[in-house]
Amino acid sequence: RYQAFAEVCGLLRLPAMIFLRCAVLVLWALPATSRETVAVVAPGNPHQRRLASAEVGEQCDAESPTSCRGCCRGSCECPGQQLQLTVANIVPRLGVQGDAFFRIDEHRHAGLEIAIYHFEQPRRLSELQLPFKILPLWHIDLTDVQVLEVPSKMALDSWFRGYAWSILVCGRCQGRHIGWKFTPASTVAATPFYALIVEAVDAEAEEPPTTGQFSASLRAVGQPLAALGLAPSMLSSSHGTP
């Protein structure tokens, strides 16, 4: 890896600024070392869970145990969060938005290479500048999934170049934010894909997390939008189809 880096960049001959630019390009292109991973799960928006935890707990205390068990206590299972990890379903490497991109973590799970992208929201879209880890997939289970559209100017300011984003929330789980849909922004032939918010547990970890451990459902769609730094009035919604 480092030998290739030196050869491509001409390590001993490049001026400092050109060397740094070359370093970014070469390290992006070189394959990363994969870590053996016990599990990859799609828990939903972690910032949404923190925002809702106190309010959800208070509402649960006032509700019957039956109604609380399914929603407030985080045991609601959204079909869209069941990862379909196959070679055919994982989206190949994509061009990224430079000012919002951190890195890609390579994981190996059950013999499958999985690339998890690390991004943050650009300040021009959200003052919160929240970080997210996402896994692009061609297909997810869209049962009870709602697609929340944003104004086109915002949608085109996208983590993945050439795609417009919209927000995925689960209607079954009271508006849990599970990820994004990315739709081609031009008429050039391309396929939409989905990017679920994920967590990976490496082999040295003692116990892999479950969806229930990571998930807390919300009482209104407005709360996941607050966790994204967006106002509900900015969005329109449509339902996914199974």
Side-chain angles (χ1 to χ4, degrees), residues 1-11 22 26-27 29-31:
R1 185 177 171 86
Y2 294 105
Q3 182 180 358
F5 171 78
E7 291 175 353
V8 174
C9 289
L11 184 59
C22 184
V26 172
L27 291 177
L30 288 174

Side-chain angles (χ1 to χ4, degrees), residues 112-207:
L112 187 65
E113 296 290 338
I114 298 170
I116 296 178
Y117 292 72
H118 291 242
F119 288 101
E120 72 172 3
Q121 298 168 312
R123 183 179 293 275
R124 59 186 170 273
L125 293 184
S126 172
E127 288 294 325
L128 299 177
Q129 293 186 278
L130 298 172
F132 290 96
K133 291 177 277 188
I134 59 175
L135 173 61
L137 299 169
W138 291 121
H139 305 285
I140 64 170
D141 188 338
L142 292 172
T143 304
D144 295 325
V145 172
Q146 291 178 278
V147 181
L148 304 180
E149 303 292 347
V150 301
S152 58
K153 183 178 180 180
M154 293 180 63
L156 291 171
D157 193 342
S158 174
W159 285 335
F160 297 109
R161 296 196 300 268
Y163 290 86
W165 58 271
S166 48
I167 302 168
L168 301 177
V169 298
C170 181
R172 176 181 300 186
C173 297
Q174 307 262 342
R176 179 186 300 160
H177 173 218
I178 63 172
W180 292 266
K181 180 180 181 180
F182 288 88
T183 305
S186 69
T187 56
V188 178
T191 304
F193 64 91
Y194 304 88
L196 295 183
I197 300 167
V198 296
E199 291 284 350
V201 181
D202 291 336
E204 59 269 21
E206 293 183 359
E207 183 179 351

Side-chain angles (χ1 to χ4, degrees), residues 5-6 8-23:
F5 171 78
V8 174
C9 289
L11 184 59
L12 300 177
R13 297 188 298 274
L14 286 177
M17 289 303 297
I18 300 176
F19 170 79
L20 289 175
R21 292 178 182 176
C22 184

